[in-house]
Amino acid sequence: MTISLSKGQRIDLTKTNPGLTRVVVGLGWDTNKYSGGADFDLDASAFLLYEDGKAKAADDFVFYNNPTGGAGSVTHTGDNRTGEGDGDDEQIIVDFSKIPANIYRIGITVTIYDYEARAQNFGQVSNAFVRVVDAATDREVLRYDLGEDFSTETAVVFCEFYRQNADWKFQAIGSGFAGGLGALAKNYGLDAQ
């Protein structure tokens, strides 16, 4: 049975799911039809964060152009440029057993590519969700539907995984940023240029 979370909720992930070591993080969304004419290209990314909440190097930022990071513990499966169709639009695979000991959190984010030129924002996105699936059994463990809380934001932190002793937990965040990927990267300690 899938657990549905609300913004701000936390859940023990590995403790309540014994044997869970590898998950598929599925992210999906629909775009509202409007007169702008350009396709929406939303991009999922993962930021691997140290104890101070910051990423330190390129290996700590996983996205379609840097598909593997964290010593092979986090993998982006590829860029979906239109969001067409049902189900997950992009996926990130996380192997908790391979995450380096100095990584304490993993932020899962979605940004709008080329939002300035296309005059796009998350106010034009609907049905956004993140779900966590056990990679071994294909069982959906949890799901977080973001709702329609956004207007002018161009980047959103969907959720974070965080380490507590030997266990990994999940927090539904749903926090928006203006300034797209650049603002998000800066928040996590990286320069997106």
Side-chain angles (χ1 to χ4, degrees):
M1 186 175 123
T2 299
I3 296 172
S4 287
L5 298 178
S6 304
K7 183 174 181 165
Q9 278 189 298
R10 300 169 186 254
I11 187 172
D12 283 327
L13 201 56
T14 54
K15 189 185 284 187
T16 56
N17 296 280
L20 182 71
T21 57
R22 203 162 162 264
V23 296
V24 176
V25 182
L27 300 120
W29 50 79
D30 294 321
T31 54
N32 301 332
K33 299 301 174 205
Y34 73 108
S35 60
D39 282 338
F40 270 77
D41 180 5
L42 275 65
D43 295 318
S45 304
F47 289 87
L48 285 73
L49 309 173
Y50 288 69
E51 200 166 15
D52 64 359
K54 303 294 183 191
K56 306 294 183 192
D59 192 51
D60 301 332
F61 175 42
V62 176
F63 68 114
Y64 63 88
N65 264 349
N66 184 39
T68 305
S73 62
V74 178
T75 305
H76 190 292
T77 62
D79 189 14
N80 174 336
R81 295 198 171 156
T82 64
E84 289 296 314
D86 293 331
D88 299 339
D89 291 312
E90 292 195 7
Q91 294 181 330
I92 294 172
I93 299 167
V94 178
D95 188 335
F96 296 114
S97 68
K98 291 183 179 177
I99 296 172
N102 55 358
I103 299 299
Y104 283 80
R105 297 178 94 80
I106 299 171
I108 304 293
T109 68
V110 175
T111 55
I112 301 174
Y113 178 77
D114 207 17
Y115 69 91
E116 286 175 303
R118 299 177 184 184
Q120 297 172 339
N121 59 57
F122 272 94
Q124 299 159 322
V125 174
S126 57
N127 304 320
F129 68 86
V130 58
R131 65 190 195 109
V132 176
V133 176
D134 183 336
T137 64
D138 211 28
R139 177 179 66 91
E140 187 173 288
V141 177
L142 65 85
R143 181 182 182 98
Y144 167 42
D145 292 298
L146 267 68
E148 311 296 320
D149 299 351
F150 304 103
S151 57
T152 62
E153 293 86 349
T154 53
V156 176
V157 178
F158 274 42
C159 62
E160 283 187 353
F161 295 100
Y162 63 99
R163 190 191 301 262
Q164 194 165 57
N165 301 319
D167 293 310
W168 282 91
K169 300 183 179 225
F170 175 95
Q171 180 177 7
I173 298 204
S175 175
F177 285 78
L181 183 60
L184 201 55
K186 188 173 183 182
N187 175 65
Y188 283 130
L190 295 176
D191 180 356
Q193 300 312 319

